[in-house]
Amino acid sequence: MQNKNIKGYLEVNGQKVPDPKLHQTVSFIKSAIRLGACAFGFFGLYELGFIGLFLAELVGIGEELV
């Protein structure tokens, strides 16, 4: 079994494994955006809430690509 680290990726047996620290950081950012969107919704700012949820989904897509 051969392991090596390549610019934020760990390679195990020739297959790239995502950086868990970066994945966690992006996940926390996504959660913060979702919480903010919910807060906007609670205060009746539905447009901003929906925009926040949309942005959180875009960040979620990026999270899976990390």
Side-chain angles (χ1 to χ4, degrees), residues 7-64:
K7 279 191 176 181
Y9 286 95
L10 179 65
E11 191 173 304
V12 178
N13 292 333
Q15 192 168 19
K16 291 181 183 176
V17 178
D19 180 5
K21 178 72 175 163
L22 183 58
H23 187 84
Q24 180 184 36
T25 301
V26 174
S27 180
F28 286 156
I29 291 169
K30 179 181 70 175
S31 294
I33 294 170
R34 283 185 178 158
L35 288 170
C38 288
F40 283 129
F42 287 140
F43 292 110
L45 301 170
Y46 301 116
E47 293 86 2
L48 290 176
F50 282 121
I51 289 169
L53 291 174
F54 179 77
L55 290 175
E57 287 306 311
L58 291 177
V59 171
I61 292 168
E63 175 187 11
E64 295 305 319

